[in-house]
Amino acid sequence: MVSGFEGVIFILSDFEITVEKLVYGGHGLGRLDGRAVLAPYVLPGERVRLRGVAEKPGLLRAGLLEVLEPAPERTAPRCPYFGRCGGCHYQQAPYEMQLAWKRAILEDQLRRIGKIEPPAEIGVVAGEPWGYRNRVQLHVSDGALGYRGAQSHKLCAIEQCPIASPAINRAIAALRAMLRDARWPRFVQAVELFTNETEMQLNVLETERPVARRFFDWCAEQIPGLVAGALDYTAAGHVWRVSRGAFFQVNRWLADKLVEVAIGAAAGGAAVDLYAGVGLFSLPLAGRFASVAAVESGARAAADLRFNAERAGLNVQVEQASAEEWLESLESAPDLVLVDPPRAGIGKHIVARLGALRVPRLTIVSCDPATLARDLAGLLAAGYRIERLTLVDLFPQTYHLETVAHLVLG
């Protein structure tokens, strides 16, 4: 079922449209009889034949049947599963065009959702567009391994993934061979791989019953570098312990650049890092500020953060708490607050609290331009202005994008 269309699914007839532009979510936008049409894997200016799959008032979602008049920029996708696998959305276009569209989509989200006129200059930071992922989640079904299908919960079986790192692809090959062995536990439904290209973590994400220790021992025999617990990841001038289940940025080429863009030349007396994770921003901040408070609700990530700060010899006050709870207890404003929230953004409560504290400088690292636009609208209403906006493309070939927003009060 298509998200947002629950209860209104219909099988619609085939039709043709001309694609006007790309919109957030990996779709092209066109018009049919006054209704907006969203379709995947298309390019602006193309004439395409579609089949409707979902409808609600004023909006159709459709699947691509045929490109009747291709855009001159259209290119052959590198991945043989593109269009069936739900992971990538833009392999039909050159990477330079992907970056231009993402900037245009960011601007559109700011205008449409936040009612904000974007800055005239938006920086764009990009890296190698292939082989970048250091973490993947793989589903298992009927003896096959792969990703969820496009707009589907069905499995798209794969042999390799061109956006995953070499070590990830070697581990995928090993897992595929293990699936043919009678020792593979048929009740395991999803696993996660995370690597620093030397060591590998394997986490069982979905299983119908507990997995025996002998399964992980067997995996260690088949997957080179497999570690039983945490692994060390080197980035941004530090070494980070990352335990099973703890978050770390997935782009192995751009972690350093992301830190550089987010922190810049910031320095001062006190800084706060909200949603700190294992400390990707906290440790570099501790080299610039006299005191740093790092707030993280996850127990494993908070423990890693403490370990990472102590190993680096840096003074970081680690608080295992929710961002909302900790901000309520804060009595005076620090010089800088950096927030790296999940896709849902920081929300009205934290926006209001930051405005009430009158924090002089804010940095938001956002993985969703829609929630970023909403949060920025609230912060601008509280008296902030956007000083600098940078798009960091952590997710090439997909519609996802990272944005770093620097705000100042007044």
Side-chain angles (χ1 to χ4, degrees):
M1 182 171 290
V2 181
S3 177
F5 284 71
E6 290 77 1
V8 291
I9 300 297
F10 301 95
I11 301 300
L12 306 170
S13 59
D14 301 355
F15 56 91
E16 297 178 12
I17 65 165
T18 298
V19 181
E20 299 174 8
K21 64 178 182 178
L22 296 187
V23 296
Y24 188 59
H27 294 92
L29 173 70
R31 304 283 172 179
L32 178 70
D33 300 330
R35 292 174 292 178
V37 178
L38 297 177
Y41 314 123
V42 298
L43 302 182
E46 291 187 328
R47 186 74 180 172
V48 294
R49 185 163 64 90
L50 309 173
R51 176 168 295 165
V53 296
E55 179 181 21
K56 65 181 182 180
L59 181 62
L60 300 176
R61 282 190 185 266
L64 176 65
L65 296 178
E66 183 181 3
V67 178
L68 302 171
E69 298 175 14
E73 301 86 1
R74 177 170 281 274
T75 187
R78 179 180 295 196
C79 179
Y81 314 109
F82 181 68
R84 292 187 290 122
C85 170
C88 290
H89 315 93
Y90 291 160
Q91 286 192 29
Q92 76 278 25
Y95 187 49
E96 294 75 15
M97 289 192 67
Q98 296 181 30
L99 294 173
W101 292 334
K102 288 187 177 185
R103 174 175 170 156
I105 288 168
L106 173 59
E107 292 174 341
D108 177 71
Q109 294 286 287
L110 292 173
R111 291 190 180 103
R112 192 167 56 82
I113 296 175
K115 311 303 178 188
I116 299 167
E117 185 58 30
E121 297 292 332
I122 297 178
V124 177
V125 175
E128 169 59 45
W130 302 100
Y132 64 86
R133 288 197 67 102
N134 58 29
R135 187 188 299 267
V136 298
Q137 294 182 2
L138 300 161
H139 298 270
V140 183
S141 179
D142 297 325
L145 181 80
Y147 299 126
R148 294 294 192 199
Q151 299 184 7
S152 168
H153 290 294
K154 294 181 180 179
L155 182 76
C156 174
I158 66 166
E159 294 183 7
Q160 51 82 37
C161 175
I163 65 171
S165 77
I168 292 286
N169 276 301
R170 289 193 293 271
I172 288 173
L175 290 172
R176 291 183 67 250
M178 293 170 68
L179 278 169
R180 297 190 291 270
D181 193 299
R183 288 175 288 178
W184 181 273
R186 303 301 163 185
F187 47 83
V188 170
Q189 299 169 326
V191 298
E192 178 184 67
L193 298 170
F194 174 59
T195 185
N196 59 13
E197 290 305 293
T198 301
E199 299 171 306
M200 180 76 64
Q201 279 181 357
L202 184 144
N203 304 315
V204 174
L205 298 181
E206 297 176 26
T207 181
E208 294 175 352
R209 58 180 186 265
V211 180
R213 178 68 203 177
R214 62 178 176 272
F215 169 72
F216 293 98
D217 293 339
W218 180 40
C219 289
E221 295 172 1
Q222 304 299 316
I223 301 173
L226 193 72
V227 296
L231 62 74
D232 282 343
Y233 201 102
T234 301
H238 294 282
V239 179
W240 317 90
R241 187 182 77 179
V242 184
S243 294
R244 291 173 182 261
F247 173 77
F248 199 83
Q249 293 293 343
V250 303
N251 191 309
R252 67 193 184 106
W253 307 121
L254 290 180
D256 292 34
K257 280 289 188 181
L258 181 64
V259 172
E260 179 183 322
V261 170
I263 295 178
V272 171
D273 182 11
L274 299 179
Y275 311 94
V278 301
L280 181 62
F281 301 111
S282 307
L283 271 59
L285 285 171
R288 302 285 195 85
F289 287 81
S291 67
V292 172
V295 183
E296 169 56 43
S297 61
R300 288 183 180 179
D304 285 345
L305 201 164
R306 290 190 184 93
F307 178 88
N308 292 332
E310 290 172 2
R311 178 165 61 178
L314 294 168
N315 182 23
V316 177
Q317 173 191 343
V318 179
E319 301 284 350
Q320 187 185 339
S322 73
E324 293 87 347
E325 292 172 343
W326 192 83
L327 276 180
E328 283 298 328
S329 68
L330 190 61
E331 296 180 354
S332 60
D335 300 301
L336 169 73
V337 171
L338 185 151
V339 296
D340 182 13
R343 202 166 300 280
I346 60 176
K348 292 182 179 180
H349 182 82
I350 291 182
V351 166
R353 182 60 180 151
L354 291 172
L357 284 168
R358 309 292 288 172
V359 177
R361 302 189 71 86
L362 299 176
T363 299
I364 303 176
V365 181
S366 169
C367 60
D368 188 297
T371 56
L372 173 65
R374 178 205 66 199
D375 293 338
L376 286 178
L379 290 167
L380 267 58
Y384 288 90
R385 62 179 175 85
I386 299 173
E387 181 182 59
R388 188 166 70 258
L389 206 60
T390 306
L391 188 161
V392 183
D393 192 29
L394 296 184
F395 313 100
Q397 318 306 329
T398 82
Y399 72 81
H400 300 289
L401 59 96
E402 199 90 357
T403 308
V404 180
H406 294 273
L407 291 87
V408 293
L409 190 62

